[in-house]
Amino acid sequence: MSVAIKAVRGVHDILPADTPRWQRVEATARRVFEAHGYHEIRPPIFERTELFARGIGELTDIVQKEMYTFEDKGGESLTLRPEATASVLRAYVEHGLHVQPKPVRLYTIGPMFRYERPQAGRYRQFHQLNLEAVGEVHPGLDAEVIAVLMELFQGVGLADRLTLALNSIGDPACRPAYREKLVEYLRRRAAELCQECRERAERNPLRVLDCKKPGCQPVLDEAPSILDALCRECAEHFAHVRRYLEAMALPYRVTPRLVRGFDYYVRTTFELLTGELGAQNAVAGGGRYDGLVQLLGGPPDPGIGFAVGMERVVLLLSSDSNKAGPLALLIPLGDAALLRLFPVAQAVRKQGAVVELGYGVRRLRSELDRANRLKVPYAVIVGESELEKGEALIREMTSGAQRVVPLSRLEGELMTLAGRR
Ligand code: AMP
Protein backbone atom coordinates (compact mmCIF):
# COMPACT_ATOMS: atom_id res chain seq x y z
CA MET A 1 0.00 0.00 0.00
CA SER A 2 1.37 3.49 -0.74
CA VAL A 3 1.79 6.14 1.92
CA ALA A 4 -1.18 8.50 2.11
CA ILE A 5 -0.49 12.12 1.14
CA LYS A 6 -1.53 14.70 3.71
CA ALA A 7 -2.59 18.32 3.31
CA VAL A 8 0.12 20.98 3.65
CA ARG A 9 0.82 22.32 7.16
CA GLY A 10 -1.37 25.25 8.10
CA VAL A 11 -4.10 24.58 5.53
CA HIS A 12 -7.26 22.65 6.20
CA ASP A 13 -10.17 20.90 4.57
CA ILE A 14 -13.61 22.30 5.31
CA LEU A 15 -15.52 19.08 5.86
CA PRO A 16 -19.22 18.37 5.26
CA ALA A 17 -19.91 18.59 9.00
CA ASP A 18 -18.79 22.25 8.89
CA THR A 19 -19.96 23.48 5.50
CA PRO A 20 -23.50 24.30 6.68
CA ARG A 21 -22.04 26.91 9.04
CA TRP A 22 -19.82 28.33 6.29
CA GLN A 23 -22.79 28.55 3.95
CA ARG A 24 -24.90 30.23 6.60
CA VAL A 25 -22.29 32.94 7.21
CA GLU A 26 -21.72 33.47 3.49
CA ALA A 27 -25.46 33.65 2.77
CA THR A 28 -25.99 36.15 5.61
CA ALA A 29 -23.08 38.26 4.35
CA ARG A 30 -24.42 38.35 0.81
CA ARG A 31 -27.89 39.27 2.06
CA VAL A 32 -26.68 42.04 4.39
CA PHE A 33 -24.07 43.47 1.98
CA GLU A 34 -26.44 43.51 -0.97
CA ALA A 35 -29.21 45.08 1.09
CA HIS A 36 -26.79 47.99 1.66
CA GLY A 37 -26.03 48.37 -2.05
CA TYR A 38 -22.75 46.42 -2.23
CA HIS A 39 -22.01 44.34 -5.33
CA GLU A 40 -19.78 41.31 -5.56
CA ILE A 41 -16.44 41.47 -7.34
CA ARG A 42 -14.19 38.41 -7.79
CA PRO A 43 -10.57 39.35 -8.37
CA PRO A 44 -7.98 36.62 -9.09
CA ILE A 45 -6.18 34.81 -6.30
CA PHE A 46 -2.68 35.74 -7.49
CA GLU A 47 -1.33 39.07 -8.58
CA ARG A 48 1.98 40.67 -9.47
CA THR A 49 4.09 40.78 -6.31
CA GLU A 50 4.58 44.51 -6.77
CA LEU A 51 0.89 45.17 -6.13
CA PHE A 52 1.13 43.95 -2.55
CA ALA A 53 4.59 45.36 -1.91
CA ARG A 54 3.35 48.80 -2.95
CA GLY A 55 -0.17 48.52 -1.55
CA ILE A 56 0.40 46.90 1.84
CA GLY A 57 3.82 48.45 2.44
CA GLU A 58 7.37 47.10 1.98
CA LEU A 59 8.11 47.22 5.70
CA THR A 60 5.05 45.43 7.00
CA ASP A 61 5.33 41.91 8.45
CA ILE A 62 3.04 40.64 5.74
CA VAL A 63 5.25 41.76 2.87
CA GLN A 64 8.53 41.05 4.63
CA LYS A 65 7.80 37.60 5.98
CA GLU A 66 4.40 36.20 5.13
CA MET A 67 3.82 36.22 1.38
CA TYR A 68 3.63 33.15 -0.83
CA THR A 69 5.74 34.55 -3.66
CA PHE A 70 6.94 32.52 -6.62
CA GLU A 71 8.28 32.96 -10.11
CA ASP A 72 6.11 31.57 -12.86
CA LYS A 73 7.55 29.84 -15.91
CA GLY A 74 7.84 33.19 -17.66
CA GLY A 75 10.08 34.52 -14.89
CA GLU A 76 7.49 36.94 -13.48
CA SER A 77 7.23 37.35 -9.69
CA LEU A 78 3.72 36.52 -8.55
CA THR A 79 2.14 36.34 -5.10
CA LEU A 80 -0.88 34.51 -3.71
CA ARG A 81 -2.97 37.32 -2.28
CA PRO A 82 -2.45 37.87 1.47
CA GLU A 83 -5.46 40.23 1.59
CA ALA A 84 -8.11 41.49 -0.78
CA THR A 85 -8.13 45.30 -0.65
CA ALA A 86 -5.12 45.77 -2.94
CA SER A 87 -6.65 43.43 -5.55
CA VAL A 88 -10.10 45.02 -5.37
CA LEU A 89 -8.62 48.50 -5.80
CA ARG A 90 -6.37 47.32 -8.64
CA ALA A 91 -9.49 46.09 -10.40
CA TYR A 92 -11.29 49.35 -9.53
CA VAL A 93 -8.55 51.35 -11.27
CA GLU A 94 -8.00 48.91 -14.15
CA HIS A 95 -11.67 48.77 -15.12
CA GLY A 96 -12.47 52.42 -14.51
CA LEU A 97 -15.06 51.67 -11.82
CA HIS A 98 -14.38 55.15 -10.42
CA VAL A 99 -16.68 56.66 -13.05
CA GLN A 100 -19.65 55.15 -11.20
CA PRO A 101 -21.60 57.17 -8.61
CA LYS A 102 -19.65 57.26 -5.36
CA PRO A 103 -19.12 55.63 -3.03
CA VAL A 104 -18.58 52.58 -5.18
CA ARG A 105 -19.61 49.66 -2.99
CA LEU A 106 -17.89 46.32 -3.50
CA TYR A 107 -17.51 43.03 -1.65
CA THR A 108 -15.67 39.80 -2.24
CA ILE A 109 -15.44 36.41 -0.54
CA GLY A 110 -12.54 34.00 -0.83
CA PRO A 111 -9.25 32.51 0.34
CA MET A 112 -6.16 34.47 1.45
CA PHE A 113 -2.64 33.14 1.96
CA ARG A 114 -0.09 34.09 4.61
CA TYR A 115 3.00 32.21 5.71
CA GLU A 116 2.33 32.58 9.44
CA ARG A 117 3.01 30.15 12.26
CA PRO A 118 -0.12 27.97 12.27
CA GLN A 119 -2.16 27.66 15.47
CA ALA A 120 -5.82 27.48 16.47
CA GLY A 121 -7.59 30.23 14.53
CA ARG A 122 -4.50 31.03 12.43
CA TYR A 123 -3.86 29.29 9.15
CA ARG A 124 -1.77 29.66 6.02
CA GLN A 125 -4.78 29.49 3.77
CA PHE A 126 -7.79 31.16 5.37
CA HIS A 127 -10.92 32.85 4.10
CA GLN A 128 -12.22 36.38 4.36
CA LEU A 129 -15.33 38.35 3.61
CA ASN A 130 -14.14 41.74 2.35
CA LEU A 131 -16.16 44.89 1.93
CA GLU A 132 -14.90 48.14 0.39
CA ALA A 133 -16.57 51.53 -0.10
CA VAL A 134 -14.53 53.76 -2.40
CA GLY A 135 -14.71 57.43 -3.33
CA GLU A 136 -16.13 59.18 -0.27
CA VAL A 137 -14.28 60.91 2.56
CA HIS A 138 -17.24 61.77 4.80
CA PRO A 139 -17.10 60.24 8.31
CA GLY A 140 -20.73 59.17 7.83
CA LEU A 141 -19.41 56.47 5.50
CA ASP A 142 -17.08 55.15 8.22
CA ALA A 143 -20.02 54.76 10.58
CA GLU A 144 -22.16 53.20 7.85
CA VAL A 145 -19.51 50.62 6.98
CA ILE A 146 -19.13 49.71 10.65
CA ALA A 147 -22.92 49.41 10.89
CA VAL A 148 -22.90 46.91 8.00
CA LEU A 149 -20.28 44.86 9.84
CA MET A 150 -22.38 44.85 13.00
CA GLU A 151 -25.50 43.91 11.09
CA LEU A 152 -23.68 40.92 9.61
CA PHE A 153 -22.79 39.72 13.11
CA GLN A 154 -26.32 40.33 14.34
CA GLY A 155 -27.50 38.22 11.39
CA VAL A 156 -25.32 35.26 12.39
CA GLY A 157 -26.24 35.70 16.07
CA LEU A 158 -22.79 36.64 17.38
CA ALA A 159 -23.04 40.41 17.93
CA ASP A 160 -23.56 40.08 21.69
CA ARG A 161 -20.34 38.11 22.07
CA LEU A 162 -18.11 40.69 20.35
CA THR A 163 -16.63 44.09 21.22
CA LEU A 164 -16.03 46.82 18.65
CA ALA A 165 -12.64 48.44 19.23
CA LEU A 166 -12.31 51.84 17.54
CA ASN A 167 -9.37 54.15 16.98
CA SER A 168 -7.98 56.86 14.74
CA ILE A 169 -4.37 56.55 13.63
CA GLY A 170 -4.17 60.02 12.10
CA ASP A 171 -2.97 60.83 8.61
CA PRO A 172 0.26 61.91 6.88
CA ALA A 173 -0.20 65.38 8.40
CA CYS A 174 -0.09 64.30 12.03
CA ARG A 175 1.19 60.74 12.21
CA PRO A 176 4.89 61.41 11.44
CA ALA A 177 5.22 63.65 14.49
CA TYR A 178 3.48 61.06 16.66
CA ARG A 179 5.69 58.35 15.22
CA GLU A 180 8.79 60.28 16.18
CA LYS A 181 7.50 60.84 19.68
CA LEU A 182 6.71 57.14 20.01
CA VAL A 183 10.12 56.02 18.72
CA GLU A 184 11.79 58.33 21.21
CA TYR A 185 9.69 56.91 24.05
CA LEU A 186 10.29 53.28 22.98
CA ARG A 187 14.05 53.87 22.73
CA ARG A 188 14.06 55.32 26.22
CA ARG A 189 12.37 52.21 27.61
CA ALA A 190 13.91 49.68 25.22
CA ALA A 191 15.48 47.67 28.05
CA GLU A 192 12.00 46.74 29.30
CA LEU A 193 10.75 45.52 25.90
CA CYS A 194 11.00 42.11 24.22
CA GLN A 195 13.48 41.52 21.40
CA GLU A 196 10.77 41.71 18.72
CA CYS A 197 9.47 45.04 20.01
CA ARG A 198 12.98 46.48 20.06
CA GLU A 199 13.46 45.54 16.42
CA ARG A 200 10.03 46.80 15.44
CA ALA A 201 10.55 50.08 17.27
CA GLU A 202 12.94 51.11 14.50
CA ARG A 203 11.21 49.47 11.53
CA ASN A 204 7.49 49.85 12.20
CA PRO A 205 7.04 51.53 15.60
CA LEU A 206 3.23 51.74 15.62
CA ARG A 207 3.08 47.95 15.41
CA VAL A 208 4.92 47.71 18.74
CA LEU A 209 1.67 48.85 20.37
CA ASP A 210 0.15 45.59 19.16
CA CYS A 211 2.51 43.35 21.18
CA LYS A 212 0.60 40.92 23.40
CA LYS A 213 3.50 39.81 25.61
CA PRO A 214 2.72 40.48 29.30
CA GLY A 215 6.25 41.82 29.96
CA CYS A 216 5.79 44.64 27.44
CA GLN A 217 2.37 45.78 28.65
CA PRO A 218 3.43 48.26 31.37
CA VAL A 219 5.63 50.13 28.88
CA LEU A 220 2.96 50.11 26.18
CA ASP A 221 0.23 51.19 28.59
CA GLU A 222 2.22 54.32 29.36
CA ALA A 223 3.18 55.06 25.74
CA PRO A 224 2.02 58.39 24.28
CA SER A 225 -1.48 58.06 22.78
CA ILE A 226 -2.11 58.74 19.11
CA LEU A 227 -5.42 60.32 20.06
CA ASP A 228 -3.56 63.16 21.81
CA ALA A 229 -1.51 63.76 18.66
CA LEU A 230 -4.26 64.00 16.01
CA CYS A 231 -4.39 67.13 13.85
CA ARG A 232 -7.59 69.14 13.91
CA GLU A 233 -9.05 67.50 10.76
CA CYS A 234 -8.38 63.98 12.00
CA ALA A 235 -9.73 64.75 15.47
CA GLU A 236 -12.91 66.19 13.94
CA HIS A 237 -13.33 63.23 11.63
CA PHE A 238 -13.01 60.87 14.59
CA ALA A 239 -15.48 62.85 16.70
CA HIS A 240 -18.02 62.64 13.87
CA VAL A 241 -17.58 58.90 13.41
CA ARG A 242 -18.21 58.45 17.14
CA ARG A 243 -21.27 60.67 17.07
CA TYR A 244 -22.79 58.76 14.13
CA LEU A 245 -22.15 55.40 15.79
CA GLU A 246 -23.85 56.68 18.91
CA ALA A 247 -26.80 57.89 16.84
CA MET A 248 -27.17 54.34 15.52
CA ALA A 249 -26.86 52.97 19.09
CA LEU A 250 -23.78 50.95 18.12
CA PRO A 251 -21.57 50.44 21.18
CA TYR A 252 -17.78 50.73 20.75
CA ARG A 253 -14.68 51.03 22.87
CA VAL A 254 -12.08 53.68 22.02
CA THR A 255 -8.79 51.76 21.91
CA PRO A 256 -5.83 54.09 21.30
CA ARG A 257 -3.43 51.17 20.99
CA LEU A 258 -5.33 49.61 18.10
CA VAL A 259 -2.99 49.69 15.11
CA ARG A 260 -3.25 47.42 12.12
CA GLY A 261 -0.83 45.43 10.02
CA PHE A 262 -1.07 47.49 6.85
CA ASP A 263 0.64 50.77 6.02
CA TYR A 264 -2.26 52.08 4.03
CA TYR A 265 -4.62 52.90 6.86
CA VAL A 266 -5.37 56.49 7.83
CA ARG A 267 -7.76 57.88 10.43
CA THR A 268 -10.49 55.39 11.40
CA THR A 269 -9.38 51.85 12.26
CA PHE A 270 -11.47 49.21 13.98
CA GLU A 271 -11.56 45.58 15.02
CA LEU A 272 -14.20 43.21 16.30
CA LEU A 273 -12.79 41.30 19.25
CA THR A 274 -13.78 38.12 21.06
CA GLY A 275 -12.63 36.78 24.40
CA GLU A 276 -13.36 33.19 23.30
CA LEU A 277 -10.51 32.35 20.91
CA GLY A 278 -7.36 32.91 22.98
CA ALA A 279 -4.61 34.91 21.31
CA GLN A 280 -6.43 35.08 17.96
CA ASN A 281 -8.94 37.53 19.36
CA ALA A 282 -9.82 39.53 16.21
CA VAL A 283 -12.73 38.27 14.19
CA ALA A 284 -12.73 41.23 11.80
CA GLY A 285 -10.69 44.34 11.15
CA GLY A 286 -10.80 47.35 8.92
CA GLY A 287 -10.16 50.99 8.38
CA ARG A 288 -9.93 53.97 6.10
CA TYR A 289 -7.35 54.02 3.32
CA ASP A 290 -7.45 57.48 1.70
CA GLY A 291 -4.49 57.71 -0.67
CA LEU A 292 -4.26 54.00 -1.49
CA VAL A 293 -6.14 54.16 -4.80
CA GLN A 294 -3.75 56.88 -5.91
CA LEU A 295 -0.75 54.88 -4.73
CA LEU A 296 -1.96 52.08 -6.99
CA GLY A 297 -2.03 54.41 -9.99
CA GLY A 298 -5.66 55.54 -9.83
CA PRO A 299 -7.50 58.78 -9.06
CA PRO A 300 -7.23 60.34 -5.56
CA ASP A 301 -10.29 58.45 -4.31
CA PRO A 302 -10.52 57.86 -0.55
CA GLY A 303 -12.06 54.67 0.80
CA ILE A 304 -12.80 52.45 3.76
CA GLY A 305 -13.32 48.72 4.18
CA PHE A 306 -13.10 45.68 6.40
CA ALA A 307 -12.18 42.00 6.35
CA VAL A 308 -13.91 39.29 8.36
CA GLY A 309 -12.00 36.09 9.18
CA MET A 310 -14.36 33.27 8.26
CA GLU A 311 -12.56 30.52 10.18
CA ARG A 312 -12.86 32.47 13.41
CA VAL A 313 -16.54 33.20 12.85
CA VAL A 314 -17.18 29.53 12.17
CA LEU A 315 -15.19 28.58 15.29
CA LEU A 316 -17.46 30.83 17.35
CA LEU A 317 -20.51 29.26 15.77
CA SER A 318 -19.32 25.68 16.20
CA SER A 319 -20.52 25.54 19.79
CA ASP A 320 -24.07 26.07 18.52
CA SER A 321 -26.24 23.00 17.92
CA ASN A 322 -26.21 21.50 14.48
CA LYS A 323 -29.60 22.15 12.97
CA ALA A 324 -28.42 21.49 9.46
CA GLY A 325 -28.44 17.67 9.59
CA PRO A 326 -31.31 15.62 8.13
CA LEU A 327 -34.71 15.86 9.79
CA ALA A 328 -35.67 12.22 9.53
CA LEU A 329 -34.75 8.79 8.32
CA LEU A 330 -37.64 7.17 6.47
CA ILE A 331 -37.53 3.42 7.10
CA PRO A 332 -39.57 1.23 4.74
CA LEU A 333 -39.57 -2.45 5.66
CA GLY A 334 -39.87 -4.17 2.29
CA ASP A 335 -40.18 -3.04 -1.31
CA ALA A 336 -43.90 -2.24 -1.19
CA ALA A 337 -43.27 0.27 1.65
CA LEU A 338 -40.31 1.73 -0.27
CA LEU A 339 -42.57 2.31 -3.27
CA ARG A 340 -45.00 4.16 -0.99
CA LEU A 341 -42.30 6.30 0.70
CA PHE A 342 -40.37 7.35 -2.40
CA PRO A 343 -42.95 10.00 -3.44
CA VAL A 344 -43.22 11.30 0.15
CA ALA A 345 -39.43 11.80 0.31
CA GLN A 346 -39.48 13.48 -3.06
CA ALA A 347 -42.30 15.83 -2.05
CA VAL A 348 -40.72 17.02 1.22
CA ARG A 349 -37.27 17.42 -0.34
CA LYS A 350 -38.84 19.67 -2.95
CA GLN A 351 -40.08 21.87 -0.11
CA GLY A 352 -36.61 22.09 1.45
CA ALA A 353 -36.71 19.41 4.16
CA VAL A 354 -33.69 17.10 4.27
CA VAL A 355 -34.64 13.42 4.75
CA GLU A 356 -32.79 10.15 4.34
CA LEU A 357 -34.53 7.10 2.92
CA GLY A 358 -33.71 3.43 3.57
CA TYR A 359 -34.22 0.88 0.81
CA GLY A 360 -36.33 -1.63 2.68
CA VAL A 361 -33.73 -4.38 2.82
CA ARG A 362 -32.27 -3.95 6.32
CA ARG A 363 -33.76 -4.95 9.62
CA LEU A 364 -35.53 -2.31 11.69
CA ARG A 365 -32.88 -2.51 14.41
CA SER A 366 -30.01 -1.69 12.03
CA GLU A 367 -31.97 1.14 10.42
CA LEU A 368 -32.62 2.66 13.88
CA ASP A 369 -28.88 2.41 14.57
CA ARG A 370 -28.29 4.33 11.39
CA ALA A 371 -30.84 6.94 12.48
CA ASN A 372 -28.89 7.38 15.71
CA ARG A 373 -25.62 7.79 13.89
CA LEU A 374 -27.18 10.32 11.51
CA LYS A 375 -28.40 12.19 14.64
CA VAL A 376 -31.83 12.66 13.05
CA PRO A 377 -34.49 13.79 15.52
CA TYR A 378 -37.14 11.52 13.87
CA ALA A 379 -37.48 8.15 12.20
CA VAL A 380 -40.53 7.20 10.13
CA ILE A 381 -41.28 3.49 10.09
CA VAL A 382 -43.56 1.79 7.55
CA GLY A 383 -43.71 -2.01 7.87
CA GLU A 384 -46.14 -4.46 6.25
CA SER A 385 -48.87 -4.03 8.85
CA GLU A 386 -48.65 -0.22 8.77
CA LEU A 387 -48.84 -0.32 5.00
CA GLU A 388 -51.96 -2.48 5.13
CA LYS A 389 -53.62 -0.03 7.49
CA GLY A 390 -52.41 3.00 5.47
CA GLU A 391 -50.35 4.32 8.42
CA ALA A 392 -46.82 5.32 9.37
CA LEU A 393 -45.08 5.45 12.76
CA ILE A 394 -43.22 8.63 13.65
CA ARG A 395 -40.59 7.86 16.27
CA GLU A 396 -38.93 10.61 18.26
CA MET A 397 -35.35 9.38 18.50
CA THR A 398 -34.28 10.82 21.86
CA SER A 399 -37.33 9.68 23.85
CA GLY A 400 -38.26 6.63 21.73
CA ALA A 401 -41.93 7.79 21.81
CA GLN A 402 -43.89 6.73 18.73
CA ARG A 403 -47.16 7.93 17.29
CA VAL A 404 -49.27 6.78 14.37
CA VAL A 405 -50.18 9.08 11.47
CA PRO A 406 -52.13 8.26 8.33
CA LEU A 407 -49.79 7.81 5.34
CA SER A 408 -51.88 10.33 3.44
CA ARG A 409 -50.89 12.99 6.01
CA LEU A 410 -47.20 12.01 6.37
CA GLU A 411 -45.91 14.69 4.02
CA GLY A 412 -47.73 17.43 5.95
CA GLU A 413 -46.54 16.03 9.31
CA LEU A 414 -42.91 16.05 8.17
CA MET A 415 -43.17 19.62 6.93
CA THR A 416 -44.67 20.68 10.28
CA LEU A 417 -41.72 19.08 12.10
CA ALA A 418 -39.27 20.76 9.69
CA GLY A 419 -40.89 24.11 10.42
CA ARG A 420 -40.37 23.70 14.18
CA ARG A 421 -36.60 23.22 13.97
P1 AMP B 1 -6.35 41.43 8.46
O1 AMP B 1 -6.51 41.25 6.97
O2 AMP B 1 -5.01 41.03 8.95
O3 AMP B 1 -6.85 42.72 8.97
O4 AMP B 1 -7.31 40.36 9.11
C1 AMP B 1 -8.71 40.47 9.08
C2 AMP B 1 -9.26 39.25 9.74
O5 AMP B 1 -8.88 38.08 9.03
C3 AMP B 1 -8.70 39.03 11.14
O6 AMP B 1 -9.42 39.75 12.09
C4 AMP B 1 -8.86 37.53 11.31
O7 AMP B 1 -10.18 37.24 11.71
C5 AMP B 1 -8.65 37.02 9.92
N1 AMP B 1 -7.27 36.49 9.73
C6 AMP B 1 -6.15 37.19 9.48
N2 AMP B 1 -5.09 36.37 9.38
C7 AMP B 1 -5.54 35.10 9.55
C8 AMP B 1 -4.95 33.80 9.54
N3 AMP B 1 -3.65 33.62 9.31
N4 AMP B 1 -5.76 32.73 9.77
C9 AMP B 1 -7.08 32.89 9.99
N5 AMP B 1 -7.69 34.08 10.01
C10 AMP B 1 -6.96 35.18 9.78
Side-chain angles (χ1 to χ4, degrees):
M1 224 167 57
S2 10
V3 180
I5 297 167
K6 293 206 170 125
V8 175
R9 182 170 134 84
V11 309
H12 60 118
D13 297 300
I14 301 165
L15 297 171
D18 287 322
T19 45
R21 278 182 283 267
W22 282 77
Q23 289 168 356
R24 180 149 75 89
V25 178
E26 286 163 4
T28 309
R30 286 179 195 284
R31 178 176 56 74
V32 171
F33 295 171
E34 290 182 10
H36 287 83
Y38 289 82
H39 295 292
E40 188 178 12
I41 179 167
R42 300 190 190 186
I45 279 165
F46 58 86
E47 299 268 2
R48 291 175 211 281
T49 302
E50 190 197 349
L51 174 71
F52 301 115
R54 211 199 296 174
I56 300 170
E58 288 280 5
L59 295 182
T60 57
D61 281 354
I62 292 182
V63 172
Q64 295 247 315
K65 301 191 239 168
E66 295 172 3
M67 295 208 302
Y68 277 92
T69 297
F70 59 98
E71 245 181 46
D72 73 359
K73 295 200 193 309
E76 182 159 26
S77 179
L78 302 176
T79 293
L80 298 183
R81 62 179 183 193
E83 61 109 46
T85 305
S87 296
V88 170
L89 296 185
R90 190 231 359 102
Y92 174 87
V93 174
E94 187 166 338
H95 302 286
L97 302 185
H98 56 272
V99 300
Q100 296 177 8
K102 293 182 181 149
V104 177
R105 299 180 193 271
L106 303 166
Y107 77 89
T108 190
I109 302 180
M112 307 293 152
F113 306 85
R114 291 183 200 171
Y115 193 78
E116 292 192 272
R117 198 162 53 78
Q119 50 183 264
R122 191 161 79 190
Y123 310 96
R124 290 180 172 172
Q125 174 175 334
F126 58 100
H127 299 76
Q128 286 184 340
L129 308 168
N130 281 85
L131 179 136
E132 318 288 350
V134 193
E136 174 61 64
V137 74
H138 196 279
L141 180 63
D142 306 36
E144 246 181 60
V145 162
I146 292 172
V148 176
L149 178 66
M150 297 317 294
E151 197 173 317
L152 164 64
F153 279 93
Q154 265 143 19
V156 293
L158 289 174
D160 298 344
R161 288 154 65 184
L162 300 169
T163 307
L164 174 66
L166 182 73
N167 194 22
S168 171
I169 56 166
D171 68 3
C174 53
R175 202 184 314 142
Y178 171 70
R179 195 187 135 109
E180 237 168 67
K181 207 161 135 191
L182 182 65
V183 171
E184 195 185 302
Y185 170 82
L186 294 172
R187 277 195 193 133
R188 195 148 31 87
R189 302 202 47 183
E192 297 162 73
L193 291 170
C194 70
Q195 180 63 26
E196 199 180 355
C197 281
R198 282 202 294 258
E199 279 164 25
R200 273 188 173 164
E202 304 300 323
R203 226 178 351 110
N204 200 353
L206 264 68
R207 278 300 267 184
V208 175
L209 298 174
D210 225 15
C211 179
K212 305 269 179 340
K213 296 204 183 81
C216 297
Q217 300 313 304
V219 182
L220 302 181
D221 285 341
E222 289 166 30
S225 164
I226 178 84
L227 293 178
D228 298 331
L230 296 181
C231 59
R232 196 173 52 84
E233 288 79 3
C234 285
E236 267 173 19
H237 187 96
F238 192 50
H240 276 100
V241 174
R242 294 183 58 175
R243 204 168 332 132
Y244 298 143
L245 288 175
E246 281 152 28
M248 288 189 276
L250 291 174
Y252 61 88
R253 186 182 298 160
V254 173
T255 312
R257 270 177 55 187
L258 172 66
V259 288
R260 311 235 327 115
F262 308 97
D263 279 359
Y264 53 62
Y265 282 122
V266 295
R267 296 190 171 171
T268 314
T269 54
F270 53 94
E271 274 185 348
L272 260 186
L273 304 174
T274 166
E276 298 172 44
L277 295 179
Q280 310 310 316
N281 66 343
V283 175
R288 192 166 256 294
Y289 45 74
D290 306 348
L292 180 58
V293 178
Q294 204 168 15
L295 187 70
L296 297 177
D301 289 351
I304 179 164
F306 62 71
V308 177
M310 286 286 289
E311 277 77 2
R312 296 183 194 175
V313 177
V314 171
L315 273 174
L316 287 178
L317 289 175
S318 60
S319 50
D320 299 357
S321 66
N322 184 5
K323 294 198 173 137
L327 171 75
L329 172 62
L330 310 187
I331 309 175
L333 301 170
D335 205 45
L338 175 61
L339 282 166
R340 184 66 186 80
L341 285 181
F342 254 132
V344 177
Q346 222 179 357
V348 296
R349 284 170 175 160
K350 243 189 219 157
Q351 297 167 70
V354 180
V355 294
E356 286 279 332
L357 179 61
Y359 298 114
V361 288
R362 281 194 252 177
R363 285 171 185 281
L364 179 59
R365 151 102 19 130
S366 75
E367 287 289 11
L368 287 176
D369 275 351
R370 191 154 83 95
N372 276 324
R373 284 197 294 126
L374 284 168
K375 297 197 173 81
V376 288
Y378 303 99
V380 174
I381 303 160
V382 180
E384 264 171 42
S385 66
E386 283 82 19
L387 197 60
E388 254 169 43
K389 288 184 265 175
E391 292 171 347
L393 295 175
I394 297 186
R395 180 186 176 96
E396 205 186 312
M397 292 305 294
T398 35
S399 65
Q402 296 192 156
R403 64 188 167 95
V404 179
V405 297
L407 266 169
S408 56
R409 288 224 321 262
L410 182 58
E411 178 190 329
E413 287 285 332
L414 285 168
M415 290 319 298
T416 308
L417 294 174
R420 281 200 206 129
R421 285 184 105 188

